[in-house]
Amino acid sequence: MTEPPISRGFRSRKPQTEQRDRVPPGQYLTTDFPVLSAGPTPSISVDNWSFALQLGGSLLAKWNWTEFQALPQTDLKTDIHCVTKWSKLDTQWRGVSFDTLLEAAGLSEAPTEYTMLHCDGGYTTNVPVADLKDGMGMVATQYDGLPLAPSHGGPARMLVPHLYFWKSAKWVRRLRFIEKDEAGFWESLGYHIYGDPWREQRYTGD
Amino acid sequence: MTEAQPVAGVPRRLLWSRAEVVSLRDDTPRVRSLTLAVADWPGHLAGQHVDVRLTAEDGYQAQRSYSIASPPEAPLLELTVETISDGEVSPYLTGELRPGDIFELRGPIGGYFVWSERQPGPLVLIGGGSGVVPLMAMLRHRAIAGPTQPALLVYSSRNWDEIIYRDELERLAAADPSLRIVHTLTRAQPQGWQGFRRRVDKAMLEELGVPALASPNLFICGPTPMVETAAQASVELGIDAARIKTERFGPSGG
Ligand SMILES: Cc1cc2nc3c(=O)[nH]c(=O)nc-3n(C[C@H](O)[C@H](O)[C@H](O)COP(=O)(O)OP(=O)(O)OC[C@H]3O[C@@H](n4cnc5c(N)ncnc54)[C@H](O)[C@@H]3O)c2cc1C
């Protein structure tokens, strides 16, 4: 396509802040915390909650809520970017990092290069191991010093902040190692298989 | 939401196209519909949305999502935009655009919050404010395709004058005995108003007979708090969560 058409009279209403370089293309800053999900918010009691690591169909490790809380916790302050265009800076999370989960499961390294995350409500999303290890991904149970609200994915959600936020799956319950990359829920409905906000990988083929 | 299946109408690659404004229509004091001619529009399903991109003279660009209001059968694309007064994009779309103006959009986007007349089961649509837009695409599609299943729209607006598509909804309901439209007016009601005057809640859905429907398809769209309440209420009324599809507009919503 040639030059984009100029919209006469349209201009930025947002003050140009020094934070501009933290906002990926096509995104705008919000101070709200919007909610996005495809269906009702499930209500999950921590008494019935567990988190599992799987290799294909076999169980590698499983923690109940108390056991999960007893694992070493990681604090992370990070920017998040939703494919519906909002970005939010300096969000504050606590949870268990992917590296810690591997270690607690007695694994020296991830058994495959890809993962599929499975959630209450049937939602799935795919994330490469390379985007989870070395502190890049965690299972978060606190936001801003408080237990994560159900509408934001509580009791526990994935957090992979350098990818579009649909990859940070809410109500996560299982991380399944898979041999080959596969599309999850949104990825098979037209959204990008990887989802890097800085390369604006919103939709299939971007 | 257990099965995720690719849906026809989601193309492999979404390119930016030029949309030309053909006409404008004021729906309410704060809402305007844009009828657009889009070059090479691939077609869409009722419930999908587009991304709009505006470019300022200094090269600054902004993108926002807007639901498609027109049914798949319509030759031109319609968007319906509510003016958010301190907003960046919506006041431009509703206040500045004139027929003949051109801007960019791409789509259709979203293969989950979609409905077609071929989907079996009664249709239940719950909308708040501009959240009615994708639901309207479904009702328009249904009217054209020929209704085979009953449908209910529960539509929450602040007051009578802010009901988007009010006359058209009335016409659709008058022409179709299997379509029921129920308004609730949350802030102010006209003299003699007999209808609901509160936000959508469990008791309302119960009174409207939603729990008695066999295998309904629910679509809920609007500000986040409304969507949360209506979806929660539906689950409590025994509706299978997998049959409830939601779309939440804009930040935390009003
Ligand atoms: C999938 C999807 C479909 C959408 N479909 C439609 C549609 O059909 N019609 C439509 O009018 N909008 C729709 N929206 C909302 C739209 O994308 C924009 O968010 C909205 O037009 C505001 O953009 P803005 O640039 O004017 O405001 P911004 O500059 O982004 O925001 C300005 C201020 O307004 C607040 N704000 C933003 N949006 C809202 C809102 N919806 N309600 C209350 N306060 C808000 C912000 O928090 C901020 O404080 C949709 C959003 C999504 C994600």
Side-chain angles (χ1 to χ4, degrees), chain B:
Chain B
M1 47 175 286
T2 37
E3 315 106 294
Q5 276 149 11
V7 178
V10 181
R12 296 307 300 161
R13 174 116 201 245
L14 294 174
L15 299 173
W16 290 103
S17 332
R18 285 168 187 244
E20 180 178 344
V21 179
V22 176
S23 62
L24 303 166
R25 183 188 70 234
D26 287 323
D27 295 289
T28 79
R30 297 192 304 126
V31 175
R32 180 172 265 191
S33 290
L34 322 173
T35 302
L36 307 169
V38 184
D40 305 319
W41 181 248
H44 65 276
L45 301 171
Q48 290 188 296
H49 65 272
V50 294
D51 280 359
V52 164
R53 180 166 76 179
L54 300 181
T55 304
E57 274 168 55
D58 63 0
Y60 172 82
Q61 293 188 319
Q63 294 184 30
R64 297 289 186 276
S65 300
Y66 292 95
S67 301
I68 302 170
S70 45
E73 295 82 1
L76 297 175
L77 205 68
E78 185 182 287
L79 306 181
T80 300
V81 181
E82 175 183 353
T83 313
I84 304 295
S85 48
D86 60 340
E88 188 170 69
V89 172
S90 63
Y92 178 84
L93 297 177
T94 58
E96 298 288 336
L97 277 180
R98 296 289 170 267
D101 282 352
I102 287 171
F103 62 90
E104 290 176 298
L105 59 73
R106 63 174 183 157
I109 298 157
Y112 185 68
F113 193 85
V114 293
W115 180 79
S116 110
E117 180 57 33
R118 289 194 305 276
Q119 213 168 307
L123 180 62
V124 177
L125 307 175
I126 305 174
S130 57
V132 75
V133 177
L135 310 181
M136 191 60 177
M138 296 178 192
L139 288 180
R140 287 169 166 169
H141 163 63
R142 183 174 178 276
I144 293 168
T148 57
Q149 297 278 351
L152 166 69
L153 169 67
V154 186
Y155 181 12
S156 175
S157 307
R158 288 181 199 160
N159 59 54
W160 184 251
D161 292 329
E162 295 205 37
I163 300 177
I164 307 170
Y165 315 126
R166 197 178 61 213
D167 296 344
E168 187 180 346
L169 287 171
E170 215 162 283
R171 283 198 300 277
L172 284 175
D176 174 6
S178 67
L179 170 62
R180 185 169 173 209
I181 293 177
V182 177
H183 291 288
T184 179
L185 301 177
T186 56
R187 297 222 183 144
Q189 302 81 22
Q191 280 264 296
W193 176 253
Q194 301 285 315
F196 292 113
R197 42 180 78 215
R198 60 178 199 268
R199 291 177 173 213
V200 177
D201 59 19
K202 188 173 160 186
M204 192 183 292
L205 298 180
E206 204 158 19
E207 192 178 330
L208 295 171
V210 173
L213 295 170
S215 304
N217 299 303
L218 268 72
F219 292 86
I220 308 176
C221 184
T224 297
M226 192 224 85
V227 173
E228 287 293 314
T229 311
Q232 191 60 43
S234 306
V235 171
E236 284 167 18
L237 290 171
I239 292 163
D240 179 2
R243 307 197 72 91
I244 306 173
K245 301 187 176 185
T246 59
E247 186 104 283
R248 295 155 170 93
F249 275 13
S252 50

Side-chain angles (χ1 to χ4, degrees), chain A residues 82-150:
Chain A
C82 178
V83 72
T84 64
K85 319 284 167 358
W86 55 266
S87 290
K88 191 170 165 63
L89 303 183
D90 297 324
T91 58
Q92 186 72 52
W93 304 84
R94 170 172 289 190
V96 180
S97 72
F98 174 79
D99 305 318
T100 302
L101 289 172
L102 279 192
E103 206 181 305
L107 299 166
S108 55
E109 61 181 65
T112 68
E113 284 179 31
Y114 298 96
T115 75
M116 186 68 79
L117 302 165
H118 295 261
C119 306
D120 276 305
Y123 182 81
T124 56
T125 191
N126 56 311
V127 180
V129 164
D131 291 275
L132 296 172
K133 66 180 188 186
D134 303 328
M136 294 176 88
M138 66 153 76
V139 175
T141 55
Q142 283 188 27
Y143 171 71
D144 228 358
L146 294 171
L148 193 57

